[in-house]
């Protein structure tokens, strides 16, 4: 797979919570968790399963940093 996006993180699927139309997919990326909400259809089309390696591809125009 080739993408123009440079913001991608490899991880492991640790949890998939399916709803009626949307599923939350949790990836463990180096001990940090990233949650993505995608359609249940996309989960099925991608064949996602817990324990599988997957990439989080991030498309954002802004990344904000905050401190206390």
């Amino acid at each position: 797979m080739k993408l123009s996006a440079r913001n991608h993180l490899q991880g492991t699927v640790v949890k998939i919570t399916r709803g009626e139309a949307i599923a939350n997919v949790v990836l463990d990326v180096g001990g940090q968790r990233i949650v993505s909400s995608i359609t249940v259809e996309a989960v099925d089309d991608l064949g996602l399963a817990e324990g599988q390696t997957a990439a989080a591809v991030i498309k954002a125009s802004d990344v904000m940093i905050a401190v206390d």
Side-chain angles (χ1 to χ4, degrees), residues 13-35:
V13 178
V14 293
K15 186 175 183 181
I16 299 172
T17 306
R18 291 171 170 261
E20 293 269 336
I22 300 296
N24 287 333
V25 179
V26 181
L27 291 183
D28 180 289
V29 178
Q32 297 292 317
R33 293 193 170 207
I34 295 176
V35 180

Side-chain angles (χ1 to χ4, degrees), residues 1-66:
M1 172 181 69
K2 290 186 178 184
L3 292 172
S4 62
R6 297 293 180 242
N7 300 322
H8 61 277
L9 304 167
Q10 288 292 121
T12 302
V13 178
V14 293
K15 186 175 183 181
I16 299 172
T17 306
R18 291 171 170 261
E20 293 269 336
I22 300 296
N24 287 333
V25 179
V26 181
L27 291 183
D28 180 289
V29 178
Q32 297 292 317
R33 293 193 170 207
I34 295 176
V35 180
S36 178
S37 296
I38 62 176
T39 64
V40 170
E41 182 179 7
V43 170
D44 294 338
D45 288 347
L46 293 170
L48 290 178
E50 292 179 10
Q52 178 181 6
T53 300
V57 180
I58 300 158
K59 180 181 177 183
S61 58
D62 295 307
V63 175
M64 297 179 190
I65 306 293

